[in-house]
Amino acid sequence: MNDLFFGSIADLQMRIQRRDISISELAKLHLEHLEQVNPHLNAVVQFNPEAIYQQASLLDDKLAHENALSPLFGIPFTIKDSIYTKDLITTSGLTSRKAFYPDYNATIVNRILAQNGLLLGKTNTPELGCSDETENQVYGRTSNPYNLLMSVSASSGGEAAAIASGCSVFGIGSDYGGSLREPADFCGITALKPTQGRISRHGHHPPFFGILNPLMQFGPMARFVSDLELIFPYLVGEDIYDPSVLPNKMQKVLSSGSNHVAFYDEDDTASSSQNTKKIVASAIDAISQEGFTVVAHKPDKIEDARRYWYALMGADGGASLKSALSEMPFEELSPAIHTCLKRRETLSMSTKAYFSLLEDINRWCASMHEFIHPYKAIITPVTSATNRVHGFSYNTGVNDLNFLMPYNITGWPAVVLRVGTGEDGLPSGIQILAKPWHEKDLFDLAKLIETASGGYKPPEMLFLSNQRCGAL
């Protein structure tokens, strides 16, 4: 039974193809599991059992008459609550949207549904993604399935917790500063931030236009790297609603001929613990044994990325954030949103200063592309946080995104995966980065490291009194 909740997409699809289980049975089992686990986690915040069973029945009818099935056929998945779903409330964590039904699906949702995936529900996210903690005033706080006292980070934290706990098989999140990658790390799963321009971001609140456009990407989250690799081709491609996405004929998945990999595990603004360095070292050892040459090499001025990221986000003095919040009564804004607004107001700049900032960023990006040129990939930690209790970012002000933010600015693809366990008992892993359009290099290296380390391990979920769901 555990394989149904904690196995791979390929394992589930094999059972479906052999008719070992119907989609209706799979839906029923996942809903029962969700109803048992989710009250403790608060990861899945919207789901409609009647609609799920209806869709499952339709898929069973197709299953009776079709032999060539998509790998995603009948596979239960969830969607971050900032991504539009026509038949499920989408709040983006805002009280003003607690009854908001979009009149269309996000492009990425339609693409999964076109492959006959089974949409289970929506997962929790902070207000407009503006927090390192997954909590809001609509649904409350999401807890980590490995320890309910611990954070899931943000802003795709509900998605990470749902997948890690077996409530969902895979899902979609968004990332403009680490929002896919850090929650995946905290919850011991894997996630892909694709190359900028690879996947449509149509159907998201706040919209991807303006300041967010060069930073934000949608990406898949799953338990295993092979799942990411399987999902990825069904998500990519041009979209008339997102002009930043490249045409299909230009969307080649490339692979570098280099066998050299760079790594760094600290910078001038974020130091890593000895345990984090050991986790990075174990990943390096895994690929070294496969013939890769790994060198310690940190990009020059990598520390500038944090300043550039915050300058971009605050260049308009918070005007874009205020626009996204225009329907919200001021007194209903959370402390996290107030903090975010105050920070952005202090960073407001003139048009001349903004143009100068863009020039500095372009020069920095050029130097980063020069840096990665001889390498197949770069390996870093995911976070410098070592005590990831609820409120960790509020209480410590830790610069926990320093390894993540730079690569939203460069637009490079990145994969995170579990390699070990942190000092605080939560899963801990690494980030792998590659050149633009070289997602294959990420998948290949990540699978080598996953095989050596064991990758995802189901949480024990000892908060369930009547069963143990796995082993940490």
Side-chain angles (χ1 to χ4, degrees):
M1 184 66 72
N2 275 4
D3 288 347
L4 289 176
F5 305 128
F6 303 112
S8 68
I9 293 175
D11 290 339
L12 269 183
Q13 191 54 239
M14 185 181 301
R15 294 189 182 203
I16 293 170
Q17 298 268 7
R18 292 191 311 223
R19 279 47 175 187
D20 292 343
I21 189 168
S22 71
I23 309 304
S24 295
E25 290 169 331
L26 189 61
K28 181 176 184 292
L29 289 168
H30 271 83
L31 281 172
E32 288 175 349
H33 182 75
L34 187 156
E35 288 168 353
Q36 181 185 29
V37 172
N38 193 58
H40 300 274
L41 303 179
N42 192 34
V44 181
V45 291
Q46 283 288 331
F47 63 101
N48 182 340
E50 182 179 349
I52 293 167
Y53 286 130
Q54 183 178 14
Q55 182 61 24
S57 179
L58 292 173
L59 291 175
D60 279 330
D61 290 341
K62 285 188 178 183
L63 186 63
H65 299 97
E66 297 181 16
N67 291 319
L69 304 179
S70 161
L72 302 184
F73 189 100
I75 303 297
F77 72 100
T78 41
I79 295 289
K80 182 179 179 179
D81 189 34
S82 57
I83 299 173
Y84 282 13
T85 47
K86 184 170 60 175
D87 297 322
L88 285 171
I89 289 172
T90 301
T91 74
S92 298
L94 301 174
T95 56
S96 59
R97 292 192 166 217
K98 61 186 177 183
F100 172 64
Y101 285 89
D103 56 9
Y104 63 91
N105 286 326
T107 296
I108 200 167
V109 174
N110 280 335
R111 288 181 174 170
I112 299 170
L113 294 176
Q115 299 301 317
N116 294 301
L118 180 66
L119 178 58
L120 284 184
K122 305 295 288 291
T123 53
N124 207 18
T125 186
E127 294 153 301
L128 299 179
C130 292
S131 176
D132 283 353
E133 306 279 343
T134 295
E135 60 182 350
N136 58 60
Q137 297 181 98
V138 182
Y139 299 118
R141 183 174 70 186
T142 298
S143 295
N144 197 301
Y146 290 87
N147 183 336
L148 297 183
L149 299 177
M150 308 301 272
S151 172
V152 293
S153 184
S155 59
S156 305
E159 198 61 52
I163 295 165
S165 62
C167 293
S168 177
V169 181
F170 74 95
I172 301 297
S174 57
D175 186 316
Y176 61 89
S179 295
L180 278 163
R181 292 164 286 163
E182 192 172 68
D185 182 60
F186 279 36
C187 293
I189 63 168
T190 185
L192 168 72
K193 182 186 80 67
T195 302
Q196 180 183 340
R198 182 74 93 175
I199 293 175
S200 171
R201 300 148 310 159
H202 169 63
H204 186 274
H205 191 72
F208 60 85
F209 302 115
I211 286 172
L212 285 180
N213 184 45
L215 299 176
M216 189 179 76
Q217 300 301 326
F218 286 179
M221 307 175 78
R223 288 185 283 268
F224 304 99
V225 177
S226 61
D227 289 345
L228 295 182
E229 191 172 25
L230 187 152
I231 299 162
F232 177 62
Y234 299 105
L235 308 181
V236 305
E238 61 193 347
D239 179 23
I240 60 172
Y241 301 110
D242 186 348
S244 298
V245 180
L246 265 62
N248 292 342
K249 63 183 179 181
M250 299 177 66
Q251 289 238 17
K252 296 180 180 178
V253 181
L254 304 177
S255 179
S256 168
S258 172
N259 72 337
H260 287 70
V261 174
F263 83 94
Y264 66 98
D265 53 21
E266 58 185 1
D267 63 29
D268 291 347
T269 57
S271 59
S272 298
S273 68
Q274 288 304 308
N275 188 73
T276 298
K277 291 181 178 181
K278 286 179 182 177
I279 285 171
V280 172
S282 68
I284 291 168
D285 183 61
I287 61 173
S288 297
Q289 292 185 27
E290 296 295 329
F292 288 91
T293 300
V294 185
V295 296
H297 193 184
K298 177 172 69 71
D300 291 336
K301 299 182 179 179
I302 190 68
E303 297 83 4
D304 289 347
R306 182 177 180 86
R307 175 170 57 85
Y308 290 148
W309 190 92
Y310 277 113
L312 276 175
M313 296 299 290
D316 64 356
S320 58
L321 180 57
K322 290 174 184 175
S323 175
L325 290 166
S326 60
E327 62 207 30
M328 280 282 289
F330 184 80
E331 62 273 11
E332 292 185 17
L333 298 179
S334 71
I337 287 287
H338 281 294
T339 299
C340 193
L341 278 171
K342 288 178 181 177
R343 177 189 290 157
R344 293 190 187 186
E345 286 169 356
T346 65
L347 294 172
S348 177
M349 62 181 68
S350 67
T351 302
K352 181 179 179 180
Y354 183 62
F355 285 159
S356 178
L357 170 66
L358 293 181
E359 289 176 359
D360 289 344
I361 289 173
N362 286 340
R363 280 190 286 268
W364 179 83
C365 285
S367 71
M368 290 292 288
H369 281 272
E370 183 179 359
F371 173 85
I372 200 174
H373 178 71
Y375 298 115
K376 179 181 284 288
I378 303 169
I379 291 176
T380 76
V382 179
T383 180
S384 55
T386 56
N387 185 25
R388 296 168 285 181
V389 296
H390 285 300
F392 79 102
S393 62
Y394 304 146
N395 298 334
T396 66
V398 65
N399 293 336
D400 59 302
L401 301 176
N402 281 24
F403 296 108
L404 307 176
M405 287 175 173
Y407 304 104
N408 291 88
I409 299 174
T410 62
W412 296 352
V415 160
V416 300
L417 72 151
R418 180 178 183 170
V419 176
T421 302
E423 295 96 325
D424 53 12
L426 292 188
S428 186
I430 59 159
Q431 173 179 233
I432 313 174
L433 302 136
K435 301 180 183 76
W437 315 108
H438 284 65
E439 282 87 353
K440 185 178 187 305
D441 288 337
L442 295 180
F443 296 141
D444 290 347
L445 286 171
K447 284 187 290 187
L448 289 175
I449 295 168
E450 184 180 56
T451 298
S453 68
Y456 167 78
K457 296 175 177 61
E460 285 191 330
M461 296 194 286
L462 297 177
F463 49 82
L464 299 177
S465 59
N466 60 340
Q467 74 173 49
R468 294 169 63 92
C469 291
L472 178 62

